[in-house]
Structures are given as structure tokens and as C-alpha cells.
């Protein structure tokens, strides 16, 4: 297991160096931030030794993608996979990290301060702006990382945005990223990541679409993990 820890340390160092280069390039070439993030994501996929298994297809018309969250690799994965300039909803604390906070500032991501009513108003305003710019919104409705073995209860943010602007939402289930890169416990190894694209759903008020989506993703994760036993 010590080898996986050493790999994790080298991965963190490598990411710090390449992120520094990426941030500089994004400020120099503001119109091409998506291309640069995609190239960086492809580099990480190769260096981390990830094999992708994909079920279903990304809906190019989806205005929001809702994903479970277990590792920082989830974001890297979709910077590589998604064909459009996704606007991630990120905690404002990330933007406050010295230097590396520019990873969300340079590509103009959506920043949110949790538990703030004033921030909710800004979140809706910023989300509308990105939608008008044809940038799909990427969000982790659990609000924080899980252990990869379960899906925790979805918070209301994604539902509020989607219903406010009548968005077409695509749920996406990610399996295995925490096994590849666990930055909290300093472990990294090569392996398979499975991505499951669910059918898109229209966010309709006074319906159970959000709860149904959460239940479907939870049930599918449980099924996939039970099949691996």
C-alpha cells in the first residue's frame, strides 16, 4: 500500500505544477479556456492510468448535468469528457485558496457561498448568465464528497436552479474515481472508471423529478457495487 501513497504524493505534486501552467495559459488565452482544460484533463487521465467504461451518451442539449461526487478526479474526468464549456458550481472557499483558487476564477465558474440567502440570489443570476452563454451547468447535488459507496441526500440547489429556468437536466453516475484517486487518504492507483449517462429529464415544478432522479442514481450505484462483489 505504500506504493499507492507514493503515487498519490507524486500525483499531487504533478497536478500542482501542471495546474500552475494551466492557470497562466487560461489568463493569457481567455477565449480558449475549455480547450486547455480538456487537454489538461486528457493528460491527467493518461498519467493516472485510467480506463474508461461508458454507458449511455451525453445529451448535447442538456443544460445541466447532475453528478455524484467522491473525488477531485470527478471534475477532471468531465473536463476531459464534456464537449462544451461546462460551468461548474464551486464553493467560494476554493476561489480563496492562494493562487490555485484561480482554477475557478480564470474559466469564470459559478461561485457559491453555502448557507447564505444573498448568495442564492447571486447563484441564480450567475446560472442564468451561463445558460444564456450556452454553457451547461455542472453540479454535485450532494454538496460534498461521499465515500464512493453511497449517494447522500441531494441538497435543493440544483432543483431550484433547474426549475427556475426550466432546464433540461441529465443525471450522470460516476463509479470508481475514489478508488483511483483518494486525495484525503493519500492513495492513487490505476484502474477503471465507469460513467453512466441517464436519460435527460425536464425540470418541472410540482413534480417529483428531482427525488426520482436521486433515487434512480442511488439504486443504480447500489446495483453496480453489488455486481462487483
Amino acid at each position: 500500500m505504500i506504493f499507492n501513497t507514493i503515487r498519490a504524493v507524486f500525483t499531487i505534486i504533478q497536478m500542482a505544477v501542471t495546474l500552475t501552467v494551466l492557470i497562466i495559459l487560461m489568463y493569457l488565452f481567455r477565449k480558449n479556456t475549455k480547450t486547455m482544460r480538456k487537454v489538461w484533463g486528457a493528460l491527467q487521465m493518461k498519467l493516472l492510468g485510467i480506463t474508461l467504461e461508458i454507458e449511455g451518451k451525453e445529451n448535447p442539449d442538456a443544460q445541466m448535468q447532475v453528478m455524484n461526487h467522491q473525488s477531485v478526479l470527478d471534475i477532471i474526468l468531465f473536463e476531459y469528457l464534456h464537449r462544451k464549456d461546462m460551468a461548474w458550481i464551486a464553493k467560494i472557499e476554493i476561489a480563496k485558496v492562494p493562487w490555485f483558487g484561480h482554477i475557478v476564477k480564470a474559466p469564470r465558474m459559478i461561485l457559491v457561498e453555502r448557507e447564505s440567502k444573498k448568495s442564492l440570489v447571486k447563484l441564480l443570476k450567475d446560472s442564468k448568465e451561463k445558460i444564456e452563454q450556452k454553457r451547461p451547468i455542472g453540479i454535485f447535488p450532494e454538496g460534498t464528497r461521499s465515500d464512493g459507496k453511497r449517494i447522500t441526500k441531494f441538497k435543493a440547489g440544483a432543483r431550484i436552479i433547474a426549475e427556475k429556468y426550466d432546464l433540461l437536466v441529465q443525471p450522470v453516475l460516476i463509479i470508481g474515481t475514489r478508488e483511483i484517486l483518494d486525495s484525503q487518504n493519500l492513495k492513487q492507483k490505476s484502474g477503471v472508471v465507469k460513467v453512466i449517462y441517464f436519460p435527460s429529464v425536464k425540470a418541472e415544478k410540482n413534480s417529483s423529478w428531482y427525488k426520482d432522479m436521486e433515487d434512480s442514481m442511488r439504486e443504480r450505484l447500489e446495483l453496480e457495487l453489488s455486481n462487483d462483489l
Side-chain angles (χ1 to χ4, degrees), residues 42-94:
L43 174 65
Q44 298 307 316
M45 299 291 287
K46 186 175 183 63
L47 292 177
L48 270 61
I50 296 171
T51 300
L52 277 176
E53 183 180 334
I54 297 178
E55 179 180 323
K57 293 183 179 180
E58 174 194 315
N59 183 349
D61 298 321
Q63 299 158 294
M64 174 184 282
Q65 281 197 333
V66 169
M67 294 157 276
N68 59 312
H69 192 25
Q70 56 196 284
S71 167
V72 67
L73 180 54
D74 301 329
I75 298 171
I76 297 170
L77 175 66
F78 277 87
E79 287 292 351
Y80 166 68
L81 283 177
H82 207 285
R83 68 188 73 184
K84 294 184 179 180
D85 186 10
M86 183 177 283
W88 293 96
I89 295 181
K91 295 180 289 188
I92 197 168
E93 289 82 1
I94 297 175

Side-chain angles (χ1 to χ4, degrees), residues 98-113:
W99 177 247
F100 291 106
H102 289 283
I103 197 62
V104 292
K105 293 178 183 177
R108 302 179 181 91
M109 299 306 182
I110 301 170
L111 303 178
V112 61
E113 184 178 352

Side-chain angles (χ1 to χ4, degrees), residues 134-145:
K134 307 300 182 184
R135 292 184 66 181
I137 295 171
I139 187 168
F140 301 115
E142 296 167 285
T144 189
R145 298 179 208 174

Side-chain angles (χ1 to χ4, degrees), residues 9-164:
V9 171
F10 275 99
T11 294
I12 291 171
I13 294 171
Q14 172 270 126
M15 284 187 177
V17 173
T18 55
L19 273 177
T20 295
V21 175
L22 176 61
I23 289 169
I24 294 171
L25 289 174
M26 285 195 295
Y27 276 117
L28 289 174
F29 307 100
R30 299 302 293 270
K31 294 182 179 180
N32 298 301
T33 60
K34 170 56 184 175
T35 299
M36 289 180 281
R37 284 161 24 224
K38 190 176 184 70
V39 170
W40 182 78
L43 174 65
Q44 298 307 316
M45 299 291 287
K46 186 175 183 63
L47 292 177
L48 270 61
I50 296 171
T51 300
L52 277 176
E53 183 180 334
I54 297 178
E55 179 180 323
K57 293 183 179 180
E58 174 194 315
N59 183 349
D61 298 321
Q63 299 158 294
M64 174 184 282
Q65 281 197 333
V66 169
M67 294 157 276
N68 59 312
H69 192 25
Q70 56 196 284
S71 167
V72 67
L73 180 54
D74 301 329
I75 298 171
I76 297 170
L77 175 66
F78 277 87
E79 287 292 351
Y80 166 68
L81 283 177
H82 207 285
R83 68 188 73 184
K84 294 184 179 180
D85 186 10
M86 183 177 283
W88 293 96
I89 295 181
K91 295 180 289 188
I92 197 168
E93 289 82 1
I94 297 175
K96 293 179 179 179
V97 176
W99 177 247
F100 291 106
H102 289 283
I103 197 62
V104 292
K105 293 178 183 177
R108 302 179 181 91
M109 299 306 182
I110 301 170
L111 303 178
V112 61
E113 184 178 352
R114 293 185 295 181
E115 312 303 330
S116 168
K117 291 183 179 180
K118 184 183 293 187
S119 183
L120 177 59
V121 174
K122 186 176 184 301
L123 171 63
L124 290 171
K125 178 178 177 293
D126 290 348
S127 297
K128 181 181 180 181
E129 179 183 276
K130 303 307 179 189
I131 293 163
E132 290 174 346
Q133 294 171 354
K134 307 300 182 184
R135 292 184 66 181
I137 295 171
I139 187 168
F140 301 115
E142 296 167 285
T144 189
R145 298 179 208 174
S146 72
D147 58 7
K149 298 178 181 178
R150 61 196 174 98
I151 289 179
T152 57
K153 184 174 177 58
F154 285 4
K155 298 185 183 301
R159 178 182 59 78
I160 293 172
I161 297 168
E163 291 183 0
K164 174 72 174 177

Side-chain angles (χ1 to χ4, degrees), residues 196-214:
I196 301 174
Y197 291 98
F198 287 71
S200 301
V201 58
K202 194 71 174 178
E204 297 179 348
K205 296 179 181 178
N206 303 316
S207 75
S208 61
W209 74 272
Y210 196 59
K211 182 64 165 58
D212 293 343
M213 181 177 65
E214 178 185 337

